[in-house]
Amino acid sequence: MLTGALIFLIDTAFGLFTLALLLRFYLQCVRASYRNPVSQFLNAVTDFAVRPARRVIPGLWGLDLSALVLAWLAQLLEIYIVLQIRGGALESVGVGLAALALLSAILVLKLWLYIVMVAVVIQAMLSWFNPYSPVAPLLNSMTRPFLRIFQKRIPPIGNVDLSPLFVIIVCQLLLMVPVAYFEMALSRLN
């Protein structure tokens, strides 16, 4: 019982930190305003790790890759700690670490897909109930790249934009087929 509680605390702490790092990177990718409270909160929470990492991890195309790499490393460390608590041992250190590294990358991708889905759902709901909400511009910048793909090809039906539905379907398919397959295959290696 104590082991389960410890694993829960580790999953929660590392999961929230990974989420904050991934959101920081994602908001920077979509060029969300730095002045919104969410960006300022994420920067305040993650600056202690991102600033020193910038010295080692270079940026690319104007993006701060240190937040993304730190999200991957946090996920890798979480998997490794939980594996050690459960008493699991890596059969082959090289293959085991490579499998853990790939599994953590897949889990970061999975978390990113969930972020996109939640942002699309919240934006769709806000567009119906409160389109002028202060968080609407942030959500718009987060979802615009994905919604635009479907908005160009599928016209609104009865003034209802169906692009959020298609984005959610594509995200679910990505979660069900490739991500779930790789996650299952890699977890067998451990």
Side-chain angles (χ1 to χ4, degrees):
M1 177 161 28
L2 187 61
T3 303
L6 183 59
I7 290 173
F8 169 74
L9 288 174
I10 289 170
D11 281 343
T12 302
F14 278 95
L16 289 174
F17 186 62
T18 303
L19 177 65
L21 287 166
L22 195 56
L23 275 171
R24 178 180 175 147
F25 177 74
Y26 182 44
L27 290 177
Q28 185 187 21
C29 284
V30 297
R31 306 287 189 232
S33 172
Y34 177 76
R35 298 196 187 278
N36 70 65
V38 175
S39 293
Q40 290 178 353
F41 170 75
L42 293 172
N43 286 337
V45 168
T46 58
D47 259 355
F48 78 94
V50 173
R51 283 185 187 259
R54 283 183 185 156
R55 295 182 195 135
V56 180
I57 303 166
L60 182 67
W61 298 310
L63 297 176
D64 185 12
L65 292 180
S66 58
L68 181 64
V69 171
L70 285 173
W72 172 73
L73 286 173
Q75 194 67 50
L76 178 66
L77 188 59
E78 174 192 347
I79 294 169
Y80 182 75
I81 291 171
V82 168
L83 186 66
Q84 293 302 314
I85 291 172
R86 288 187 178 153
L90 300 175
E91 294 179 17
S92 170
V93 174
V95 174
L97 285 178
L100 288 179
L102 192 54
L103 179 61
S104 64
I106 289 170
L107 290 176
V108 167
L109 173 65
K110 184 177 175 180
L111 182 60
W112 177 74
L113 287 171
Y114 280 121
I115 289 170
V116 170
M117 285 175 34
V118 167
V120 166
V121 167
I122 293 173
Q123 183 190 19
M125 291 175 65
L126 277 178
S127 72
W128 286 18
F129 301 114
N130 190 5
Y132 302 107
S133 169
V135 76
L138 176 67
L139 291 171
N140 185 36
S141 64
M142 289 176 71
T143 59
R144 186 180 327 117
F146 306 105
L147 294 176
R148 190 181 306 142
I149 295 168
F150 295 104
Q151 287 170 342
K152 287 180 181 177
R153 292 168 179 80
I154 303 167
I157 299 174
N159 284 337
V160 175
D161 183 16
L162 296 177
S163 59
L165 177 66
F166 288 102
V167 169
I168 291 171
I169 289 171
V170 168
C171 287
Q172 284 291 355
L173 286 173
L174 288 172
L175 285 169
M176 287 178 9
V177 181
V179 172
Y181 172 76
F182 284 122
E183 193 175 21
M184 183 177 60
L186 288 172
S187 62
R188 287 183 186 164
L189 292 175
N190 294 331

